[in-house]
Amino acid sequence: MKRLVSLGFVVALTFSGLSPSAAAGSNDRISETVSYNAETGTPYFIAGTLTTPSLNSPTNIVLSYLEEKEKLYSIESGGKTTFDPVSEKTDELGFTNIKLQQMHNGIPVFGSILSALVDQAGVLTAVSGEVVPIPPMKAVEKTSLLPVSEASAAILADLGAKLGAAPEIIHEERPSLTVYVSEGEAKFAYSSEVEFLKPEPGNFHYLIDALSGKVLTSFNQIHHADPTGKDTVSAGKGLIGDKKAIHTIKNAEGTFLLDRTRGKGILTYDGAKGLLLPGKLWRDSDGIFNESYDGAAVDAHVYAGQTFDYYKNIHGRISYDGTGAKVVSTVHYGENYNNAFWSGSQMVYGDGDGVMFSPLSGSLDVVAHELTHAVTASTAKLIYQGDSGAINESMSDIFGILVEDHFKNSPDWLIGEDIYTPKQKGDALRSLADPTVSGQPDHYTKRYMGTEDYGGVHINSGIGNKVGFLLASGGTHFNIKVQGIGKAKTGKILYRTLTQYLTPKTTYRQYQAAAVQAATDLYGASSSEVASVKAAFSAVGLK
Ligand SMILES: [Ca+2]
Ligand SMILES: [Ca+2]
Ligand SMILES: [Ca+2]
Ligand SMILES: [Zn+2]
């Protein structure tokens, strides 16, 4: 599989007073810091005082700025590039965030979304994301495009070959036409997502050449806690028997794991060791959840609630979608199943085989990791491939750590220590303090560039994880000293980065610029927090 991201080095330069409006003699000072992708020559992050104050709507302010900057973005004249606003939200600092989809001759460019911020005075302060330059495309008659049904058939055929059996599809998004740019070539492609549970759970995103029907790329968006694990058959094991209060509802039929005190509800289901989702809402006849079989459900329920509370109380976010979406979990999924994942609509936990894993809901950091994938899926929508996939994974790991810390659940910088290799003490799935202990890179120059694991999403996450660790705890890494700012400020900065600035195809270099900007919004450009963000990224080779 080809990597979608470009690896060209990047230069950042600052200039002032060069914009047309400043040249026209306005008193309002215009200043811009532009970070360019040296390979494509287009900017990926612009920050500063980009426009003069305006009473226009935030969306119109951004749109007219982009129109003015056509040249800067080296938008090809071969076709018409426009931007479709897809969302507009105001944050707690008074900024309005506008997300825009790049369109080429009216067709969306796959994964190309810009995220822009306009302050309370109507001044554009940042544009995050790269406008994809569209190489000249052959003029194509609408009639020569394959019918949508053939794209669906191509997906099914490819999945059948991949899985060794025809998948039982539970949801298929109707393929929609996009412009897909890869390796300097632009193609018309159908984009579609398919969700299935058999022969094994999958949630694949496909891009199918709209002329030839060939598969251009595909990736599985199920976020596995451990992508390399294999199911082995051995005895299961219960959870640690710690006592905790849980929110439930009770009626004549019994007591159910439904917590209506949080958003639209926290619901926990019994998969009963089968593969059907979500299974049955957990019911207990005497209302006391103290059997050993109950342990996995109690932990999933309590930890989903704690993760919900963390995002609500610390970041003002109500559930993963920000509007109180139901949080659904299924435990006892499959037989000795060595994994946990966010399916695209709910969390799923296996019981583990008792050797590699104990029931996976027993680890608060793993639960928060999976739910953070849901936060990412409804904000930055980081594509689960290459750099953006690694950043997606790293965000989940970092917030897993922060939630564990917030609830003083034996906080550490390890992921999954409570459920990984139950017969062996002291190890974990990953370490953020030292990613190399589980074979992850801790510097951008050491990144994995192969095709396994969707371009190393669980491998290169080590780079982002090291940044998170250094930013919070400080330290000297590759001779660069980082002053730690603590976990709370790290969470504030990275939450703002994730929800306001990151876009589907964000690379590690873009992530650096975005994090610096988020810290600038929160603490000011000359703050020690901004200096620490810069140092933390610099220590892993990103500046
Ligand atoms: Ca009971
Ligand atoms: Ca941990
Ligand atoms: Ca262990
Ligand atoms: Zn993950």
Side-chain angles (χ1 to χ4, degrees):
M1 182 177 311
K2 304 277 158 50
R3 286 168 63 90
L4 284 173
V5 298
S6 83
L7 298 168
F9 80 98
V10 161
V11 288
L13 54 115
T14 305
F15 56 94
S16 288
L18 292 180
S19 86
S21 40
S26 160
N27 286 329
D28 296 288
R29 189 172 173 78
I30 300 281
S31 68
E32 301 180 306
T33 301
V34 185
S35 306
Y36 287 99
N37 179 334
E39 201 173 89
T40 57
T42 54
Y44 61 71
F45 205 92
I46 305 181
T49 304
L50 306 181
T51 59
T52 54
S54 163
L55 295 173
N56 285 338
S57 77
T59 297
N60 283 336
I61 290 168
V62 181
L63 287 174
S64 52
Y65 174 82
L66 288 171
E67 207 167 299
E68 203 177 277
K69 293 287 169 177
E70 219 169 356
K71 285 228 173 66
L72 178 65
Y73 277 111
S74 44
I75 292 166
E76 292 290 322
S77 52
K80 193 166 166 46
T81 295
T82 52
F83 298 92
D84 269 15
V86 290
S87 70
E88 183 181 313
K89 280 179 196 150
T90 302
D91 71 18
E92 71 286 357
L93 297 178
F95 288 86
T96 302
N97 177 295
I98 300 110
K99 295 210 168 162
L100 305 124
Q101 166 71 54
Q102 181 186 349
M103 310 289 284
H104 180 71
N105 291 335
I107 300 167
V109 179
F110 178 71
S112 183
I113 287 179
L114 297 183
S115 183
L117 268 79
V118 174
D119 72 12
Q120 277 168 317
V123 172
L124 180 65
T125 57
V127 181
S128 171
E130 200 173 325
V131 175
V132 176
I134 309 294
M137 296 178 77
K138 264 185 268 163
V140 170
E141 296 288 331
K142 267 255 152 70
T143 50
S144 56
L145 296 175
L146 290 176
V148 166
S149 59
E150 285 194 32
S152 294
I155 292 169
L156 277 185
D158 191 68
L159 280 174
K162 245 189 199 109
L163 302 164
E168 289 176 28
I169 307 285
I170 55 168
H171 177 74
E172 186 196 358
E173 182 192 58
R174 186 181 155 82
S176 62
L177 194 61
T178 63
V179 171
Y180 177 65
V181 182
S182 175
E183 312 212 315
E185 230 189 311
K187 288 178 168 156
F188 290 107
Y190 285 113
S191 165
S192 175
E193 282 180 21
V194 282
E195 213 179 315
F196 51 88
L197 295 170
K198 285 178 179 172
E200 59 193 65
N203 177 10
F204 272 79
H205 197 131
Y206 266 89
L207 284 154
I208 302 290
D209 192 312
L211 291 170
S212 71
K214 272 193 195 141
V215 175
L216 295 173
T217 187
S218 71
F219 45 94
N220 191 352
Q221 309 184 99
I222 278 189
H223 305 287
H224 291 268
D226 173 28
T228 55
K230 273 197 186 121
D231 285 13
T232 53
V233 179
S234 63
K237 186 186 168 194
L239 311 187
I240 62 173
D242 47 335
K243 289 183 184 168
K244 41 191 118 186
I246 49 174
H247 288 275
T248 59
I249 62 158
K250 188 177 176 178
N251 62 30
E253 286 155 38
T255 306
F256 294 84
L257 288 184
L258 166 54
D259 170 2
R260 292 196 285 203
T261 68
R262 292 175 168 98
K264 291 170 189 154
I266 308 266
L267 300 90
T268 303
Y269 289 74
D270 185 4
K273 308 197 181 204
L275 298 175
L276 286 178
L277 288 176
K280 280 202 177 120
L281 186 62
W282 195 285
R283 186 187 75 94
D284 192 290
S285 48
D286 67 3
I288 304 166
F289 297 77
N290 60 353
E291 308 289 329
S292 73
Y293 188 74
D294 301 344
V298 168
D299 279 351
H301 201 62
V302 168
Y303 292 160
Q306 290 186 344
T307 305
F308 180 101
D309 289 353
Y310 169 81
Y311 277 107
K312 176 168 173 264
N313 298 337
I314 302 301
H315 302 297
R317 181 176 199 85
I318 313 297
S319 194
Y320 58 85
D321 69 342
T323 61
K326 277 183 189 170
V327 178
V328 173
S329 309
T330 298
V331 296
H332 297 307
Y333 177 80
E335 293 267 3
N336 303 317
Y337 187 64
N338 271 327
N339 218 333
F341 59 89
W342 169 255
S343 76
S345 55
Q346 69 156 97
M347 290 187 290
V348 182
Y349 301 99
D351 286 330
D353 60 9
V355 177
M356 180 176 280
F357 285 109
S358 54
L360 283 96
S361 59
S363 198
L364 175 56
D365 52 13
V366 168
V367 172
H369 173 109
E370 298 306 335
L371 253 182
T372 298
H373 279 311
V375 173
T376 299
S378 43
T379 54
K381 302 188 192 332
L382 289 160
I383 293 170
Y384 208 55
Q385 202 175 40
D387 264 21
S388 54
I391 296 164
N392 187 329
E393 266 303 308
S394 175
M395 284 290 183
S396 275
D397 277 352
I398 291 170
F399 283 102
I401 296 295
L402 296 180
V403 172
E404 184 179 85
D405 180 70
H406 184 72
F407 291 96
K408 306 274 174 284
N409 188 315
S410 311
D412 53 25
W413 284 96
L414 301 172
I415 292 288
E417 67 283 353
D418 297 331
I419 46 113
Y420 184 62
T421 57
K423 291 171 180 165
Q424 206 172 308
K425 290 263 165 274
D427 55 356
L429 271 171
R430 290 180 288 280
S431 164
L432 283 76
D434 183 6
T436 63
V437 298
S438 53
Q440 293 184 301
D442 60 357
H443 196 273
Y444 195 61
T445 56
K446 300 181 177 184
R447 70 193 178 279
Y448 170 75
M449 290 169 71
T451 56
E452 295 293 308
D453 186 28
Y454 304 105
V457 299
H458 292 86
I459 302 170
N460 292 334
S461 56
I463 298 161
N465 284 352
K466 187 75 191 189
V467 170
F469 168 77
L470 287 170
L471 183 56
S473 295
T476 301
H477 188 53
F478 289 98
N479 295 321
I480 292 175
K481 190 165 183 284
V482 184
Q483 191 67 48
I485 62 170
K487 283 173 173 163
K489 285 180 177 173
T490 297
K492 269 218 139 349
I493 293 168
L494 294 187
Y495 178 77
R496 185 168 180 82
T497 304
L498 175 67
T499 56
Q500 301 281 47
Y501 289 110
L502 299 192
T503 59
K505 304 210 301 189
T506 294
T507 63
Y508 262 117
R509 291 185 193 283
Q510 294 171 331
Y511 176 26
Q512 186 269 357
V516 168
Q517 186 62 26
T520 302
D521 294 346
L522 289 163
Y523 304 107
S526 52
S527 62
S528 57
E529 288 84 357
V530 167
S532 288
V533 170
K534 287 179 178 168
F537 276 94
S538 184
V540 301
L542 294 161
K543 49 187 142 186

